[in-house]
């Protein structure tokens, strides 16, 4: 794509492209550093966690390693040349090598990166990553084995584009090619940055097709974690599809609006550490300070509580935990009993269901339970009465720990 100047006479004058070499722009010291500090140029959902990453092989290093908000690592390879060299082969090798990285390894990697780029932020590397990955589990997030690749260069030859298109189409990989072309104009160096694969106009369709192909595998991850979304129905309407933690918050908030006391909700929830209270009707920092003073065990995981959505009732403030995974750890100050065994209890027969009522969602969102289970739940919902203000979208099994104060 050429760049033109429109003159006062409405003529179009071609502005010739330059090269990074001609402009004295070095690959690592200049181009790589600029993109590291302005990573949104390559994608809005990228957090750089390492530069020149080579934990797996000191002779081979990833230019930039990032993570997106869906817990997918992103290998970013840069070339200032017009043909891209063999960067696609390098990137594939690097992606395979980092695909087994764990969250703890990611924390260590990001801590080292911040130590050199932002020393004051290095101590909070874990909290920053947990916040970045909040919607996929925070500290409990499991990094995907599927690694994204971003190739950025002044140009790409036919070998690279053909290989990338084939890998994306046939094998469902997620590889993007971003062309960065320099222009010297009036003493300034301008960069024309364009994503050429996939075309931005077709990217949404490409993603949907890729998701359709992998939907069956994504429903049940090998880790056993449940990423099912739920729709909460209340007399005021239905919520958008929500992750488990947000769905429970929406459900409890609706029940409280309907007149159910927080003390009753706390008794209905599994365990005794998921819905805690403090004296006074508090908000913001005052609430956080008072809550941590009353429940000191929460100091290690402040981000695991919905301080932005407290419930107030008869002079007390209640705060809900965000931790509702299949293997939810015990609450603050209550360690699990040694050797505690776990058993599976269907949600429809759990204390939550019997105390506040549940019924299956009749919407169009995908349900994973069997049809006969849905029919049984409808009968159970009818018998429980219409007093429930909300319903969980899918009846499923939740693990509950025996002999432990925390919910499994």
């Amino acid at each position: 794509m050429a760049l033109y100047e429109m003159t006062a006479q409405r003529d179009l004058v071609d502005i010739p492209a330059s090269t990074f070499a001609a402009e004295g722009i070095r690959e690592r010291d200049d181009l790589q550093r600029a993109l590291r500090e302005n990573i949104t140029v390559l994608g809005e959902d990228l957090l750089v966690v390492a530069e020149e990453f080579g934990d797996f092989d000191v002779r081979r290093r990833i230019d930039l390693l990032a993570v997106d908000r869906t817990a997918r690592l992103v290998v970013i390879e840069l070339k200032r040349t017009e043909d891209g060299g063999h960067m696609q082969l390098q990137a594939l090798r690097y992606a395979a090598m980092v695909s087994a990285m764990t969250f703890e390894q990611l924390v260590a990697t990001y801590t080292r990166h911040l130590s050199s780029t932002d020393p004051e932020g290095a101590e909070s590397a874990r909290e920053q990553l947990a916040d970045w990955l909040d919607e996929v589990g925070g500290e409990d997030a499991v990094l995907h084995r599927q690694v994204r690749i971003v190739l950025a260069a002044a140009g790409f030859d036919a070998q690279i584009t053909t290989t990338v298109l084939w890998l994306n189409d046939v094998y469902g990989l997620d590889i993007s090619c971003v062309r960065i072309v320099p222009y010297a104009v009036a003493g300034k160096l301008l960069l024309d940055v364009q994503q050429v694969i996939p075309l931005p106009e077709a990217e949404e369709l490409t993603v949907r097709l890729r998701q359709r192909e992998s939907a069956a595998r994504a429903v049940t991850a090998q880790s056993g974690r449940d990423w099912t979304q739920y729709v909460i129905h209340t007399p005021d309407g239905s919520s958008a599809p929500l992750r488990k933690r947000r769905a429970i918050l929406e459900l409890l908030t609706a029940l409280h609006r309907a007149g159910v006391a927080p003390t009753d909700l706390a008794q209905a929830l599994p365990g005794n550490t998921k819905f805690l209270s403090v004296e006074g009707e508090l908000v913001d920092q005052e609430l956080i300070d008072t809550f941590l003073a009353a429940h000191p065990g929460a100091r290690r995981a402040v981000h695991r509580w919905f301080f932005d959505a407290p419930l107030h009732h008869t002079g007390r403030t209640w705060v809900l935990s965000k931790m509702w995974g299949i293997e939810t750890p015990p609450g603050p100050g209550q360690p699990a009993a040694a050797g505690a065994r776990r058993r599976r209890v269907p949600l429809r027969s759990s204390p939550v269901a019997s105390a506040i009522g549940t019924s299956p969602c009749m919407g169009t969102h995908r349900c994973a339970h069997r049809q006969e289970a849905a029919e049984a739940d409808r009968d159970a919902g009818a018998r429980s009465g219409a007093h429930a203000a909300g319903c969980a979208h899918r009846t499923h099994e939740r693990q509950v720990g025996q002999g432990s104060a925390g919910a499994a």
Side-chain angles (χ1 to χ4, degrees), residues 88 151 159-169 173 175-177 197-198:
Q88 83 280 18
L151 306 178
Q159 294 182 31
I160 292 180
T161 56
T162 301
T163 301
V164 169
L165 289 170
W166 177 66
L167 290 171
N168 285 352
D169 183 44
L173 300 190
I175 307 176
S176 302
C177 291
I197 296 177

Side-chain angles (χ1 to χ4, degrees), residues 117-376:
T117 60
D118 181 19
E120 294 183 358
E123 293 184 359
S124 62
R126 177 181 294 273
E127 288 73 19
Q128 292 183 50
L129 283 173
D131 290 341
W132 180 261
L133 301 174
D134 180 65
E135 291 302 317
V136 290
E139 289 188 35
D140 292 327
V142 176
L143 301 182
H144 284 280
R145 288 296 308 277
Q146 295 176 329
V147 178
R148 288 172 54 188
I149 294 174
V150 176
L151 306 178
F156 303 95
D157 63 19
Q159 294 182 31
I160 292 180
T161 56
T162 301
T163 301
V164 169
L165 289 170
W166 177 66
L167 290 171
N168 285 352
D169 183 44
V170 177
Y171 292 98
L173 300 190
D174 189 345
I175 307 176
S176 302
C177 291
V178 179
R179 185 174 58 207
I180 306 177
V181 180
Y183 290 86
V185 180
K188 298 180 180 180
L189 184 62
L190 307 181
L191 299 183
D192 178 21
V193 182
Q194 295 189 41
Q195 180 174 300
V196 294
I197 296 177
L199 291 174
E201 295 81 1
E203 186 169 13
E204 183 178 351
L205 175 61
T206 302
V207 171
R208 288 205 306 267
L209 291 174
R210 188 183 300 121
Q211 289 175 340
R212 185 182 67 178
E213 295 296 326
S214 61
R217 295 189 300 271
V219 170
T220 306
Q222 291 183 355
S223 65
R225 297 181 185 273
D226 184 5
W227 302 117
T228 305
Q229 292 186 329
Y230 300 81
V231 173
I232 305 302
H233 297 278
T234 73
D236 297 328
S238 301
S239 73
L242 302 169
R243 295 289 190 191
K244 190 182 302 177
R245 63 178 64 177
R246 291 284 177 183
I248 294 176
L249 175 64
E250 181 76 14
L251 180 61
L252 264 64
T253 301
L255 289 170
H256 182 240
R257 286 198 303 264
V260 181
T263 50
D264 295 332
L265 296 175
Q267 292 176 2
L269 294 173
N272 300 312
T273 61
K274 296 299 176 188
F275 194 42
L276 304 178
S277 68
V278 293
E279 288 284 351
E281 296 192 0
L282 312 176
V283 294
D284 300 331
Q285 192 60 45
E286 184 181 11
L287 169 59
I288 296 175
D289 294 341
T290 304
F291 187 90
L292 296 181
H295 308 286
R299 292 182 183 275
R300 298 187 301 273
V302 177
H303 61 281
R304 292 182 173 181
W305 296 87
F306 282 111
F307 287 114
D308 58 336
L311 298 182
H312 299 119
H313 188 77
T314 61
R316 296 190 69 83
T317 301
W318 293 78
V319 182
L320 180 68
S321 169
K322 295 181 179 180
M323 307 313 294
W324 294 93
I326 292 176
E327 295 292 339
T328 301
Q334 298 198 21
R341 298 177 60 189
R342 301 185 183 275
R343 62 187 177 88
R344 292 188 176 273
V345 179
L347 180 61
R348 57 181 175 269
S349 62
S350 72
V352 176
S354 60
I356 64 178
T358 63
S359 61
C361 168
M362 298 302 293
T364 58
H365 190 63
R366 186 184 70 248
C367 294
H369 52 44
R370 295 179 179 178
Q371 181 63 30
E372 54 266 28
E375 295 174 355

